Amino acid sequence: QSALTQPRSVSGSPGQSVTISCTGTSSDVGGYNYVSWYQQHPGKAPKLMIYDVSKRPSGVPDRFSGSKSGNTASLTISGLQAEDEADYYCCSYAGSHTWVFGGGTKLTVL
Amino acid sequence: EVQLVESGGGLVQPGGSLRLSCAASGFTFSSYSMNWVRQAPGKGLEWVSSISSSSTYIYYADSLKGRFTISRDNAKNSLYLQMNSLRAEDTALYYCVAYSSSSSAFDIWGQGTMVTVSS
């Protein structure tokens, strides 16, 4: 159960788009369409932003989108806003009823 | 209001034990699979354990090596985590999390309870 690989940090200016990658293996990301993304502001609990690779829970802006290709999933945030600055974590089902998270990516809005 | 409230964290010596609790409200607790997810200070999230809605199925992260036990009481809308033989590396904020089968994701999160293992 090795953690999924995410970039430590990404940044973008307001209005721009950024993409955060999440790389796993064929035993997790590549093997199942159960990838989810979580947003975590400092001192707060994580919040579900994307589930089943590309679906958005109600209330999440459509600026947030998810995709997957092979063993790599991606979260794209378009039209960056100041409140998007946070840590983002990907998560994947890893088989045998276990789950694995990514190491997290700090998004800075310049 | 949908809510998960953890309690039971604190400072414990290496080798000691602690029991975490999580009280659920505002949703049908007995219909959800429940989980514990932890976050070491300044680090990422780590899935710890899950228990099915009726306690039939229980799973743990390999790294725990039998030291933790998850349980639930649907009559009390409560989730528990018994932690034994605690190590410094178990120091973390422990989140109680509800898993939604409709979204295949961790849908509802508590605010966490801090466990510090230190002499």
Side-chain angles (χ1 to χ4, degrees), chain B residues 11-27:
Chain B
L11 175 64
V12 60
Q13 292 189 336
S17 298
L18 214 53
R19 189 193 194 210
L20 307 183
S21 299
C22 170
S25 60
F27 66 102

Side-chain angles (χ1 to χ4, degrees), chain B residues 102-113:
Chain B
S102 61
S103 66
S104 301
F106 300 110
D107 210 6
I108 306 168
W109 295 69
Q111 288 303 308
T113 186

Side-chain angles (χ1 to χ4, degrees), chain B:
Chain B
E1 179 189 7
V2 172
Q3 201 170 12
L4 292 169
V5 179
E6 302 92 336
S7 60
L11 175 64
V12 60
Q13 292 189 336
S17 298
L18 214 53
R19 189 193 194 210
L20 307 183
S21 299
C22 170
S25 60
F27 66 102
T28 308
F29 177 76
S30 59
S31 297
Y32 279 74
S33 169
M34 295 299 297
N35 297 259
W36 288 98
V37 174
R38 68 184 181 183
Q39 185 170 32
K43 302 296 184 181
L45 301 169
E46 179 187 16
W47 173 78
V48 170
S49 179
S50 69
I51 184 169
S52 62
S53 58
S54 58
S55 303
T56 303
Y57 304 105
I58 288 175
Y59 305 99
Y60 299 97
D62 289 343
S63 61
L64 298 182
K65 296 182 180 178
R67 297 183 296 120
F68 291 8
T69 302
I70 192 172
S71 62
R72 65 190 295 164
D73 185 338
N74 286 343
K76 295 182 178 180
N77 287 341
S78 294
L79 176 72
Y80 307 101
L81 185 68
Q82 177 67 42
M83 303 185 296
N84 298 328
S85 303
L86 283 163
R87 306 167 179 170
E89 54 263 38
D90 296 318
T91 294
L93 186 63
Y94 284 73
Y95 290 104
C96 170
V97 189
Y99 172 87
S100 170
S101 57
S102 61
S103 66
S104 301
F106 300 110
D107 210 6
I108 306 168
W109 295 69
Q111 288 303 308
T113 186
M114 187 67 200
V115 172
T116 303
V117 184
S118 175
S119 55

Side-chain angles (χ1 to χ4, degrees), chain A residues 5-56:
Chain A
T5 300
Q6 297 181 233
R8 295 289 292 267
S9 64
V10 297
S11 62
S13 299
Q16 288 186 332
S17 294
V18 294
T19 296
I20 300 171
S21 62
C22 169
T23 301
T25 68
S26 58
S27 296
D28 38 62
V29 175
Y32 309 93
N33 286 323
Y34 297 136
V35 176
S36 51
W37 289 90
Y38 301 85
Q39 177 191 64
Q40 186 179 37
H41 287 109
K44 301 294 186 180
K47 174 188 175 184
L48 177 64
M49 304 301 285
I50 295 288
Y51 67 95
D52 291 352
V53 176
S54 60
K55 299 177 182 177
R56 278 188 312 276

